[in-house]
Coordinates of all heavy atoms in Angstrom, one line a residue:
M787 N 12.1 120.4 -5.6 CA 11.7 121.3 -6.7 C 13.0 122.1 -7.2 O 13.8 122.5 -6.4 CB 10.7 122.4 -6.1 CG 10.1 123.3 -7.2 SD 9.1 122.4 -8.3 CE 7.5 123.1 -7.8
L788 N 13.1 122.1 -8.5 CA 14.2 122.8 -9.1 C 13.7 124.1 -9.8 O 12.5 124.2 -10.2 CB 14.8 121.9 -10.2 CG 15.3 120.6 -9.8 CD1 15.7 119.8 -11.0 CD2 16.4 120.7 -8.8
S789 N 14.5 125.1 -9.8 CA 14.1 126.4 -10.5 C 15.3 127.0 -11.2 O 16.4 126.7 -11.0 CB 13.5 127.3 -9.4 OG 14.5 127.7 -8.6
L790 N 14.9 127.8 -12.2 CA 15.9 128.5 -13.0 C 15.3 129.9 -13.3 O 14.2 130.1 -13.7 CB 16.0 127.8 -14.3 CG 16.9 128.5 -15.4 CD1 18.4 128.4 -15.0 CD2 16.6 128.0 -16.7
R791 N 16.1 130.9 -12.9 CA 15.8 132.3 -13.3 C 16.3 132.6 -14.7 O 17.5 132.5 -14.9 CB 16.5 133.3 -12.3 CG 15.9 133.3 -11.0 CD 16.8 134.2 -10.1 NE 16.6 133.9 -8.7 CZ 15.5 134.3 -8.0 NH1 14.7 135.2 -8.5 NH2 15.4 134.0 -6.7
C792 N 15.4 133.1 -15.5 CA 15.7 133.4 -16.8 C 16.8 134.5 -16.8 O 17.7 134.5 -17.7 CB 14.5 133.8 -17.6 SG 14.7 133.8 -19.4
S793 N 16.7 135.4 -15.9 CA 17.7 136.5 -15.8 C 19.1 136.0 -15.6 O 20.1 136.6 -16.1 CB 17.3 137.5 -14.8 OG 17.2 136.9 -13.5
D794 N 19.2 134.9 -14.9 CA 20.6 134.3 -14.7 C 21.2 133.8 -16.0 O 22.4 133.6 -16.1 CB 20.5 133.1 -13.7 CG 20.3 133.6 -12.3 OD1 20.4 134.8 -12.0 OD2 20.0 132.7 -11.4
A795 N 20.3 133.5 -17.0 CA 20.8 133.0 -18.2 C 21.2 134.2 -19.2 O 21.5 134.0 -20.3 CB 19.8 132.1 -18.9
G796 N 21.0 135.4 -18.6 CA 21.5 136.6 -19.4 C 20.4 137.4 -20.0 O 20.6 138.3 -20.8
F797 N 19.1 137.0 -19.8 CA 18.0 137.7 -20.4 C 17.4 138.7 -19.5 O 17.4 138.6 -18.2 CB 16.9 136.7 -20.8 CG 17.3 135.8 -21.9 CD1 17.6 134.5 -21.6 CD2 17.4 136.2 -23.2 CE1 18.0 133.6 -22.6 CE2 17.8 135.3 -24.2 CZ 18.1 134.0 -23.9
D798 N 16.9 139.8 -20.0 CA 16.2 140.8 -19.2 C 14.8 140.4 -19.1 O 13.9 140.8 -19.8 CB 16.3 142.2 -20.0 CG 15.7 143.3 -19.2 OD1 15.4 143.1 -18.0 OD2 15.4 144.4 -19.7
C799 N 14.6 139.5 -18.1 CA 13.3 138.7 -18.0 C 13.1 138.3 -16.6 O 14.1 137.9 -15.9 CB 13.5 137.5 -18.9 SG 12.1 136.4 -18.9
S800 N 11.9 138.4 -16.1 CA 11.7 138.1 -14.7 C 11.1 136.7 -14.5 O 10.8 136.3 -13.4 CB 10.7 139.1 -14.0 OG 9.5 139.1 -14.8
R801 N 11.0 135.9 -15.6 CA 10.4 134.6 -15.5 C 11.3 133.6 -14.7 O 12.5 133.6 -14.8 CB 10.3 134.1 -16.9 CG 9.8 132.7 -17.0 CD 8.3 132.6 -16.8 NE 7.8 131.2 -16.9 CZ 7.4 130.6 -18.0 NH1 7.3 131.3 -19.1 NH2 7.0 129.3 -18.0
V802 N 10.7 132.9 -13.8 CA 11.3 131.8 -13.0 C 10.7 130.5 -13.5 O 9.5 130.4 -13.3 CB 11.2 132.0 -11.5 CG1 11.9 130.9 -10.8 CG2 11.8 133.4 -11.1
I803 N 11.5 129.6 -14.0 CA 10.9 128.4 -14.5 C 11.1 127.3 -13.4 O 12.2 127.2 -12.8 CB 11.6 128.0 -15.8 CG1 11.2 128.9 -16.9 CG2 11.4 126.5 -16.1 CD1 12.1 129.1 -18.0
K804 N 10.1 126.6 -13.1 CA 10.2 125.6 -12.0 C 9.8 124.2 -12.6 O 9.0 124.1 -13.5 CB 9.2 125.9 -10.9 CG 9.6 127.2 -10.2 CD 8.8 127.5 -9.0 CE 9.5 128.5 -8.2 NZ 8.8 129.4 -7.4
G805 N 10.4 123.2 -12.0 CA 10.1 121.8 -12.4 C 10.6 120.8 -11.4 O 11.4 121.2 -10.5
E806 N 10.1 119.6 -11.5 CA 10.5 118.5 -10.6 C 11.9 117.9 -11.0 O 12.6 117.5 -10.2 CB 9.5 117.4 -10.6 CG 8.1 117.8 -10.0 CD 8.2 118.1 -8.6 OE1 9.1 117.5 -7.9 OE2 7.4 118.9 -8.1
T807 N 12.1 117.9 -12.3 CA 13.4 117.3 -12.8 C 14.1 118.3 -13.8 O 13.5 119.2 -14.3 CB 13.1 116.0 -13.5 OG1 12.4 116.3 -14.7 CG2 12.3 115.0 -12.7
E808 N 15.4 118.0 -14.0 CA 16.1 118.8 -15.0 C 15.5 118.7 -16.4 O 15.4 119.7 -17.1 CB 17.5 118.2 -15.0 CG 18.5 119.1 -15.7 CD 19.9 118.4 -15.7 OE1 20.2 117.7 -16.6 OE2 20.7 118.7 -14.8
D809 N 14.9 117.6 -16.7 CA 14.2 117.4 -18.0 C 13.0 118.4 -18.1 O 12.8 119.0 -19.2 CB 13.8 116.0 -18.3 CG 14.9 115.1 -18.7 OD1 16.0 115.7 -19.0 OD2 14.7 113.9 -18.8
D810 N 12.2 118.4 -17.0 CA 11.1 119.3 -17.0 C 11.5 120.8 -17.2 O 10.9 121.5 -18.0 CB 10.4 119.3 -15.6 CG 9.6 118.1 -15.4 OD1 9.4 117.3 -16.3 OD2 9.2 117.8 -14.2
I811 N 12.6 121.2 -16.5 CA 13.1 122.5 -16.7 C 13.5 122.8 -18.1 O 13.1 123.8 -18.7 CB 14.3 122.8 -15.7 CG1 13.9 122.6 -14.3 CG2 14.9 124.1 -16.0 CD1 13.6 123.8 -13.4
M812 N 14.3 121.9 -18.6 CA 14.8 122.1 -20.0 C 13.7 122.2 -21.0 O 13.8 122.9 -22.0 CB 15.8 121.0 -20.4 CG 17.1 121.0 -19.6 SD 17.9 122.7 -19.4 CE 18.4 123.0 -21.1
K813 N 12.7 121.4 -20.8 CA 11.5 121.4 -21.7 C 10.8 122.8 -21.7 O 10.5 123.4 -22.7 CB 10.5 120.3 -21.3 CG 9.7 119.8 -22.5 CD 8.9 118.6 -22.0 CE 7.5 118.7 -22.6 NZ 6.5 117.9 -21.8
E814 N 10.6 123.3 -20.4 CA 10.0 124.6 -20.3 C 10.9 125.7 -20.8 O 10.4 126.7 -21.3 CB 9.6 124.9 -18.8 CG 8.3 124.3 -18.4 CD 7.5 125.2 -17.5 OE1 7.5 126.4 -17.9 OE2 7.0 124.8 -16.5
V815 N 12.2 125.6 -20.5 CA 13.2 126.6 -21.0 C 13.1 126.7 -22.5 O 13.0 127.8 -23.0 CB 14.6 126.2 -20.6 CG1 15.6 127.0 -21.4 CG2 14.8 126.5 -19.1
S816 N 13.1 125.6 -23.2 CA 13.1 125.7 -24.7 C 11.8 126.3 -25.2 O 11.8 127.1 -26.1 CB 13.4 124.4 -25.3 OG 12.4 123.5 -25.2
E817 N 10.6 126.0 -24.5 CA 9.4 126.6 -24.9 C 9.4 128.1 -24.6 O 9.0 128.9 -25.5 CB 8.2 125.9 -24.1 CG 7.8 124.6 -24.7 CD 6.7 124.0 -23.9 OE1 6.0 124.7 -23.1 OE2 6.5 122.7 -24.0
H818 N 9.8 128.4 -23.4 CA 9.9 129.8 -23.0 C 10.8 130.6 -23.9 O 10.5 131.7 -24.4 CB 10.3 130.0 -21.6 CG 10.6 131.3 -21.1 ND1 9.6 132.3 -21.1 CD2 11.7 131.9 -20.8 CE1 10.2 133.5 -20.7 NE2 11.5 133.2 -20.5
A819 N 12.0 130.1 -24.2 CA 13.0 130.8 -25.0 C 12.5 131.0 -26.4 O 12.7 132.1 -27.0 CB 14.3 130.0 -25.1
S820 N 11.7 130.0 -26.9 CA 11.2 130.1 -28.3 C 10.0 131.1 -28.3 O 10.0 132.0 -29.2 CB 10.8 128.7 -28.8 OG 9.7 128.7 -29.5
T821 N 9.1 131.0 -27.3 CA 7.9 131.9 -27.3 C 8.3 133.4 -27.0 O 7.8 134.3 -27.6 CB 6.9 131.4 -26.2 OG1 6.7 130.0 -26.4 CG2 5.6 132.2 -26.4
D822 N 9.1 133.6 -25.9 CA 9.3 134.9 -25.4 C 10.6 135.5 -25.9 O 10.8 136.8 -25.8 CB 9.3 134.9 -23.9 CG 7.9 134.6 -23.4 OD1 6.9 135.2 -23.9 OD2 7.8 133.7 -22.5
H823 N 11.6 134.7 -26.3 CA 12.9 135.3 -26.7 C 13.3 135.0 -28.1 O 14.4 135.4 -28.6 CB 14.0 134.8 -25.7 CG 13.7 135.2 -24.3 ND1 13.6 136.5 -23.9 CD2 13.5 134.4 -23.2 CE1 13.4 136.5 -22.6 NE2 13.3 135.3 -22.1
G824 N 12.4 134.3 -28.8 CA 12.7 134.1 -30.3 C 13.8 133.2 -30.5 O 14.4 133.2 -31.6
I825 N 14.2 132.3 -29.5 CA 15.3 131.4 -29.7 C 14.7 130.0 -30.1 O 14.0 129.4 -29.3 CB 16.1 131.3 -28.5 CG1 16.8 132.6 -28.1 CG2 17.2 130.2 -28.6 CD1 17.4 132.7 -26.8
R826 N 14.9 129.6 -31.3 CA 14.3 128.3 -31.7 C 15.1 127.2 -31.1 O 16.3 127.3 -30.8 CB 14.4 128.2 -33.3 CG 13.5 129.2 -34.0 CD 13.8 129.3 -35.4 NE 15.2 129.7 -35.6 CZ 15.9 129.6 -36.8 NH1 15.3 129.1 -37.9 NH2 17.1 129.9 -36.9
P827 N 14.4 126.0 -30.9 CA 15.1 124.9 -30.2 C 16.4 124.5 -31.0 O 17.4 124.1 -30.3 CB 14.0 123.8 -30.3 CG 12.7 124.5 -30.4 CD 13.0 125.8 -31.1
E828 N 16.4 124.7 -32.3 CA 17.6 124.3 -33.1 C 18.7 125.3 -32.9 O 19.9 125.0 -33.3 CB 17.3 124.1 -34.5 CG 16.7 125.2 -35.2 CD 15.1 125.2 -35.3 OE1 14.5 124.8 -34.3 OE2 14.6 125.6 -36.3
D829 N 18.4 126.5 -32.3 CA 19.5 127.4 -32.0 C 20.1 127.2 -30.6 O 21.1 127.8 -30.3 CB 18.9 128.9 -32.0 CG 18.5 129.3 -33.4 OD1 19.0 128.8 -34.3 OD2 17.6 130.2 -33.4
M830 N 19.5 126.3 -29.8 CA 20.1 126.0 -28.5 C 21.3 125.0 -28.7 O 21.0 123.8 -29.0 CB 19.0 125.3 -27.6 CG 17.8 126.2 -27.4 SD 17.9 127.1 -25.9 CE 17.6 125.8 -24.7
N831 N 22.5 125.5 -28.7 CA 23.6 124.6 -28.9 C 24.0 123.9 -27.6 O 23.6 124.3 -26.5 CB 24.8 125.4 -29.5 CG 25.3 126.5 -28.7 OD1 25.4 126.4 -27.5 ND2 25.5 127.7 -29.3
P832 N 24.9 122.9 -27.7 CA 25.2 122.2 -26.4 C 25.8 123.0 -25.4 O 25.6 122.8 -24.2 CB 26.2 121.1 -26.9 CG 25.9 120.9 -28.4 CD 25.4 122.3 -28.9
Q833 N 26.6 124.1 -25.7 CA 27.2 125.0 -24.7 C 26.1 125.7 -24.0 O 26.2 125.9 -22.7 CB 28.1 126.0 -25.4 CG 29.4 125.4 -25.8 CD 29.4 125.0 -27.3 OE1 28.4 124.6 -27.8 NE2 30.5 125.1 -28.0
M834 N 25.1 126.2 -24.7 CA 24.0 126.9 -24.0 C 23.2 126.0 -23.1 O 22.9 126.4 -22.0 CB 23.0 127.4 -25.1 CG 23.3 128.8 -25.6 SD 22.2 129.2 -27.0 CE 20.8 129.9 -26.1
I835 N 23.0 124.8 -23.6 CA 22.3 123.8 -22.7 C 23.1 123.5 -21.5 O 22.5 123.5 -20.4 CB 21.9 122.5 -23.5 CG1 20.9 122.9 -24.6 CG2 21.4 121.4 -22.6 CD1 20.7 121.9 -25.7
H836 N 24.4 123.3 -21.6 CA 25.2 123.0 -20.5 C 25.2 124.2 -19.5 O 25.1 124.0 -18.3 CB 26.7 122.8 -21.0 CG 27.7 122.5 -19.9 ND1 27.7 121.2 -19.3 CD2 28.6 123.2 -19.4 CE1 28.6 121.2 -18.4 NE2 29.2 122.4 -18.4
K837 N 25.3 125.4 -20.0 CA 25.3 126.6 -19.2 C 24.0 126.7 -18.4 O 24.0 127.0 -17.2 CB 25.5 127.9 -20.1 CG 25.6 129.2 -19.4 CD 25.7 130.4 -20.4 CE 25.2 131.6 -19.7 NZ 25.0 132.7 -20.6
I838 N 22.9 126.5 -19.1 CA 21.6 126.6 -18.5 C 21.4 125.5 -17.4 O 21.0 125.8 -16.3 CB 20.4 126.4 -19.5 CG1 20.4 127.7 -20.4 CG2 19.1 126.2 -18.9 CD1 19.6 127.6 -21.7
K839 N 21.9 124.3 -17.7 CA 21.8 123.2 -16.6 C 22.6 123.6 -15.4 O 22.2 123.3 -14.3 CB 22.3 121.9 -17.2 CG 21.3 121.3 -18.1 CD 21.8 119.9 -18.6 CE 20.7 119.3 -19.4 NZ 21.1 118.0 -20.0
N840 N 23.7 124.3 -15.6 CA 24.5 124.8 -14.4 C 23.8 125.9 -13.6 O 24.2 126.1 -12.5 CB 25.9 125.3 -14.9 CG 26.8 124.1 -15.1 OD1 26.8 123.1 -14.5 ND2 27.8 124.3 -16.1
L841 N 22.8 126.5 -14.2 CA 22.1 127.6 -13.5 C 20.9 127.1 -12.7 O 20.3 127.9 -12.0 CB 21.7 128.7 -14.5 CG 22.8 129.4 -15.3 CD1 22.2 130.2 -16.4 CD2 23.6 130.3 -14.3
I842 N 20.6 125.9 -12.9 CA 19.4 125.3 -12.2 C 19.7 125.2 -10.7 O 20.7 124.7 -10.3 CB 19.0 123.9 -12.8 CG1 18.6 124.1 -14.2 CG2 17.9 123.3 -11.9 CD1 18.3 122.7 -14.9
Q843 N 18.8 125.8 -9.9 CA 18.9 125.8 -8.5 C 17.9 124.8 -7.8 O 16.8 124.7 -8.3 CB 18.7 127.2 -7.9 CG 19.8 128.1 -8.5 CD 19.5 129.6 -8.0 OE1 18.4 129.9 -7.7 NE2 20.6 130.3 -7.9
V844 N 18.3 124.2 -6.7 CA 17.4 123.4 -6.0 C 16.7 124.3 -4.9 O 17.4 125.0 -4.2 CB 18.2 122.3 -5.2 CG1 17.2 121.4 -4.5 CG2 19.0 121.4 -6.2
S845 N 15.4 124.3 -4.9 CA 14.7 125.2 -4.0 C 13.8 124.4 -3.1 O 13.6 123.2 -3.3 CB 13.9 126.2 -4.8 OG 13.0 125.6 -5.7
Ligands
ZN1557 ZN1 12.8 134.7 -20.3

């Protein structure tokens, strides 16, 4: 199981996103970022995606 703390990505947010694969996490991250943080998928640049992938932890 993989997980990502939204707070590790710099948001004041307690959400922890979990998934089986990196793709699952990234899909949920983009939904969560858009719904709760107002970041549209087209605003996610490659640097942000790279940074987020580096924050994914194996749990
Ligand atoms: Zn969040």
Side-chain angles (χ1 to χ4, degrees):
M787 186 70 106
L788 303 174
S789 66
L790 172 77
R791 283 172 203 279
C792 196
S793 59
D794 286 347
F797 294 102
D798 182 15
C799 176
S800 59
R801 175 77 182 267
V802 180
I803 290 156
K804 293 186 169 151
E806 292 295 329
T807 65
E808 194 179 86
D809 281 350
D810 285 348
I811 300 260
M812 293 313 291
K813 206 173 140 200
E814 274 221 49
V815 164
S816 71
E817 281 177 17
H818 169 67
S820 142
T821 310
D822 294 312
H823 300 300
I825 298 167
R826 294 168 300 169
E828 58 266 37
D829 292 335
M830 300 266 284
N831 62 42
Q833 287 94 327
M834 268 172 89
I835 291 166
H836 182 73
K837 185 185 156 192
I838 290 165
K839 285 185 176 176
N840 279 330
L841 295 170
I842 295 173
Q843 297 175 334
V844 181
S845 55

